[in-house]
Amino acid sequence: MPSCDLRIISAPLDIPSKENKDDHLDLFTYYQFPVGFLTERLRSVDHSFGSCSRPTHVWFHFLCKDITFNANRQLKIQNPVSNTRKNTNQLSQEDHCWHRSGFMLCSQSNPASQKKEVAFICFGAHAWIKRCLNEGLQWKEIINDPTALFSMIFQELYLQLDTATRNLGDLFGSMEYNVLSHATHGHIAGMMDFAGLHNVSKHITHLREGSDAALHTLERLVGHVKRRTSESTSATRINEQTRDSLEHCETLFHSTKLRLLSLESRMANVINLSFHLVTQQDSKSMKTIAFLTLIFLPASTVASIFGSQFFNLSVDQDGVPHFVFSHWFWVMWVIVLPITAILVAIWRWPEAMASDPQQETRLSWRNILHSGKFVELGSRIPSKEVIEMS
């Protein structure tokens, strides 16, 4: 390659493929990429940070859910994949679109010109990162401290993550309002979008994972800058500005993380309220069924008794009807009453045992005996002596 003080390269995502393998191989060989950078992408890590010397390499990988909204500010499903599992249906909320990127900062000497060259390689960078590098790049400061490029990347990552968090918060706010409105009128079972609530909750979890990943990477990057500044004898004001900028990015990601924690708590409250109201509505339905059963229970009982062989309606020779009552009618009550009493006793027995304090004592002694922690009869129990010193 021709000699260049600072070179910024935009490359395809560092995933092995037939189309890009030759370009990636040339790039990895020329800049002597460490093995750690190559294995991280193969394992799809959500965050990583690494550095090495001779030649100097500093890199990180970033993985975050790609969340987009349509014109009506509703979640837009991107890149729906076909279902490859047998005997399963395609989920309507299935979305496998992610922000995946990797960044490598290389500093080495050009063998031809014997000059120090800096290369910043962006793998799979989004369009807004490329725009940021084209519009906001200050070449003189970057040449003096190339680590400042990482600060620009993280500021852009924060803007995108925070925008997605705010849009998701607005979407959840409308869902929360609908739940509370339905709860006020007591009609919620058929009006709740439980799949939508789950989808929003899933995206909140993904964004929380992205913010945590960015915070861990920033923490390691700030430590690397501090260590490099302390070891260098020619630390400049630009190095301090880079460190301050990275620390400021940390506080920004912490603010987004706090907003996501608040959304998680609100989401848990709304889901609990929804299930509580649905359970309450099911309880009302069961009460209605029990009330109807109670209304028809006397009639069905009387019809069963009079439909038995203990009562009979006969007609004599003159055509006069007679109501005949069997003298064995008492046998039915001799059988029914004890069975009823036994069933009621079995039904009440667990509650009575749970509220009996003597039962707790018996259970505790039973546990002691089973655990083997008891003193045999005739054994001497040692006493505790208290000696007062005057």
Side-chain angles (χ1 to χ4, degrees):
M1 289 187 182
S3 177
C4 181
D5 294 334
L6 176 62
R7 179 179 288 110
I8 297 179
I9 303 174
S10 178
L13 190 63
D14 48 329
I15 294 180
S17 62
K18 295 181 179 179
E19 295 80 8
N20 304 319
K21 66 177 183 178
D22 294 334
D23 295 336
H24 281 161
L25 186 59
D26 294 339
L27 200 62
F28 296 158
T29 304
Y30 181 82
Y31 288 105
Q32 303 178 22
F33 273 39
V35 179
F37 180 86
L38 305 178
T39 57
E40 288 170 1
R41 175 58 66 199
L42 296 178
R43 296 187 176 275
S44 296
V45 295
D46 55 358
H47 84 280
S48 67
F49 176 82
S51 62
C52 63
S53 57
R54 296 181 182 180
T56 303
H57 292 87
V58 183
W59 74 89
F60 76 90
H61 278 105
F62 184 74
L63 175 68
C64 184
K65 187 68 176 177
D66 185 10
I67 303 176
T68 56
F69 300 83
N70 56 22
N72 298 325
R73 306 192 71 177
Q74 299 295 321
L75 284 174
K76 181 181 178 181
I77 303 299
Q78 293 190 101
N79 188 26
V81 298
S82 59
N83 198 347
T84 58
R85 298 179 181 178
K86 296 181 179 180
N87 300 324
T88 56
N89 297 324
Q90 179 76 28
L91 296 177
S92 61
Q93 303 295 337
E94 192 172 4
D95 187 359
H96 292 256
C97 194
W98 296 79
H99 283 310
R100 296 185 293 179
S101 56
F103 303 91
M104 171 66 75
L105 181 62
C106 305
S107 178
Q108 62 180 9
S109 298
N110 191 315
S113 61
Q114 297 299 322
K115 293 177 61 178
K116 183 179 180 180
E117 295 183 353
V118 175
F120 187 66
I121 308 168
C122 306
F123 293 94
H126 203 273
W128 31 267
I129 292 182
K130 297 178 182 178
R131 184 175 62 252
C132 171
L133 294 175
N134 290 330
E135 297 177 357
L137 199 61
Q138 298 179 0
W139 290 92
K140 294 183 179 180
E141 295 183 0
I142 297 300
I143 293 175
N144 292 329
D145 186 12
T147 316
L149 289 167
F150 287 135
S151 177
M152 299 174 60
I153 297 298
F154 275 104
Q155 287 178 2
E156 193 63 29
L157 290 176
Y158 159 73
L159 291 176
Q160 300 301 321
L161 186 66
D162 189 69
T163 301
T165 302
R166 291 179 181 275
N167 291 335
L168 203 60
D170 294 339
L171 176 62
F172 172 71
S174 61
M175 300 176 71
E176 185 181 34
Y177 176 78
N178 292 333
V179 171
L180 295 177
S181 299
H182 295 324
T184 303
H185 297 89
H187 303 289
I188 192 171
M191 302 181 180
M192 275 302 303
D193 183 13
F194 287 103
L197 280 176
H198 170 74
N199 199 29
V200 173
S201 178
K202 177 181 65 176
H203 286 309
I204 291 175
T205 302
H206 288 316
L207 290 180
R208 167 76 183 280
E209 182 183 8
S211 65
D212 287 338
L215 284 171
H216 287 303
T217 305
L218 273 171
E219 182 181 357
R220 296 295 303 277
L221 182 58
V222 170
H224 170 77
V225 172
K226 289 181 179 179
R227 183 173 63 254
R228 190 194 61 181
T229 304
S230 62
E231 295 174 353
S232 176
T233 58
S234 60
T236 62
R237 180 180 58 86
I238 298 178
N239 300 120
E240 296 179 356
Q241 290 179 350
T242 301
R243 183 190 61 192
D244 294 339
S245 178
L246 291 173
E247 290 178 346
H248 179 247
C249 287
E250 273 192 288
T251 61
L252 295 178
F253 277 103
H254 273 296
S255 68
T256 302
K257 180 180 178 180
L258 292 175
R259 184 175 291 108
L260 290 170
L261 288 174
S262 175
L263 281 176
E264 285 182 347
S265 300
R266 291 169 58 191
M267 174 64 71
N269 291 336
V270 168
I271 292 178
N272 290 335
L273 174 62
S274 302
F275 280 108
H276 174 72
L277 293 173
V278 171
T279 304
Q280 189 177 26
Q281 188 167 349
D282 292 341
S283 178
K284 291 180 180 179
S285 301
M286 294 302 296
K287 287 181 179 179
T288 303
I289 296 174
F291 178 71
L292 293 175
T293 304
L294 188 62
I295 289 177
F296 290 100
L297 181 62
S300 60
T301 303
V302 172
S304 299
I305 294 175
F306 280 94
S308 64
Q309 298 297 325
F310 296 106
F311 298 92
N312 190 13
L313 184 62
S314 62
V315 181
D316 58 9
Q317 297 178 355
D318 298 331
V320 179
H322 293 279
F323 189 75
V324 179
F325 177 76
S326 177
H327 64 281
W328 293 103
F329 183 65
W330 61 273
V331 176
M332 184 186 74
W333 298 108
V334 169
I335 298 174
V336 169
L337 292 178
I339 293 177
T340 304
I342 292 173
L343 292 176
V344 172
I346 294 175
W347 175 59
R348 293 289 299 175
W349 181 75
E351 297 181 2
M353 296 299 289
S355 60
D356 186 7
Q358 296 182 357
Q359 176 66 16
E360 296 180 0
T361 305
R362 290 194 295 270
L363 290 176
S364 62
W365 278 107
R366 185 181 303 170
N367 294 335
I368 292 175
L369 292 175
H370 280 294
S371 62
K373 298 178 179 180
F374 60 92
V375 181
E376 295 181 359
L377 295 177
S379 62
R380 182 177 181 272
I381 302 176
S383 61
K384 180 181 179 181
E385 296 182 359
V386 179
I387 301 177
E388 295 183 358
M389 301 295 294
S390 59

